[in-house]
Amino acid sequence: MGFFKMEGQKMPENRRLELAIKRAETAFMYVREITESHKHIEKKYKSLVRKTPMRIKTNGLGSTLAFVFSKKKGENQHFLFYHQLEKWLSENDMVDAEDGEFVAKVIAMEKADYRVSTNELLAFLIWLRRFVDGMIEGEEDDDI
């Protein structure tokens, strides 16, 4: 699975640090893209990013991605967020970006791969949330 350890194996410390740095750099780039090119949706995007980790913990990754998938219209916050998550897992060899719909690929994963993907997205969302909190002012009141 590319950058990630197989279940039950320890990841070397330098590899763990590399991955943490990669998460931070990518999350910063994604949020900067929103603040520079999609200012009209940045508060809704912030709200979506902030709520997603709890949705994943409560409903599971597949269900959460299905929710985001169902809400993506045009280039709204759900569309951008969905494709950012897909790109992150794809770049780290956890899903194949070329073959089919992202949510369908996640739902069809083997149990161990699903668990690793869930944990990785939760770790990535920590960084994404830190940057939306620091780079996007205010809150969106709508239920996202």
Side-chain angles (χ1 to χ4, degrees):
M1 281 191 15
F3 218 136
F4 299 91
K5 65 181 175 90
M6 294 303 294
E7 191 142 340
Q9 295 177 343
K10 280 230 168 222
M11 183 184 291
E13 191 60 36
N14 62 340
R15 193 72 156 188
R16 192 182 325 259
L17 182 59
E18 283 178 38
L19 183 55
I21 291 168
K22 187 176 177 183
R23 284 182 193 128
E25 290 172 343
T26 303
F28 180 80
M29 180 184 68
Y30 286 173
V31 175
R32 186 177 60 202
E33 175 192 349
I34 297 297
T35 61
E36 291 176 356
S37 302
H38 303 282
K39 205 125 181 87
H40 63 288
I41 60 165
E42 69 180 15
K43 288 182 183 175
K44 289 181 180 182
Y45 175 84
K46 179 180 181 178
S47 181
L48 180 60
V49 168
R50 290 179 54 78
K51 291 178 181 179
T52 297
M54 187 52 68
R55 280 196 174 118
I56 291 172
K57 291 175 185 175
T58 303
N59 303 315
L61 179 59
S63 179
T64 301
L65 289 176
F67 168 78
V68 176
F69 176 80
S70 74
K71 298 285 187 175
K72 62 184 190 114
K73 307 218 179 350
E75 280 207 12
N76 68 359
Q77 68 277 8
H78 293 90
F79 175 87
L80 296 168
F81 184 60
Y82 180 84
H83 288 290
Q84 288 174 340
L85 297 180
E86 177 181 28
K87 187 174 179 185
W88 175 251
L89 287 184
S90 174
E91 287 175 354
N92 291 288
D93 299 326
M94 300 189 82
V95 295
D96 180 9
E98 302 299 318
D99 188 29
E101 189 59 56
F102 174 48
V103 68
K105 290 182 278 189
V106 169
I107 291 169
M109 283 180 173
E110 295 291 325
K111 190 176 182 179
D113 293 339
Y114 185 89
R115 192 170 30 253
V116 171
S117 296
T118 298
N119 290 337
E120 178 50 36
L121 274 183
L122 287 170
F124 179 67
L125 286 167
I126 290 169
W127 283 102
L128 208 55
R129 186 173 178 168
R130 287 175 182 162
F131 288 122
V132 297
D133 285 345
M135 297 167 69
I136 299 175
E137 300 269 331
E139 294 289 327
E140 179 66 35
D141 291 333
D142 294 343
D143 183 32
I144 303 295

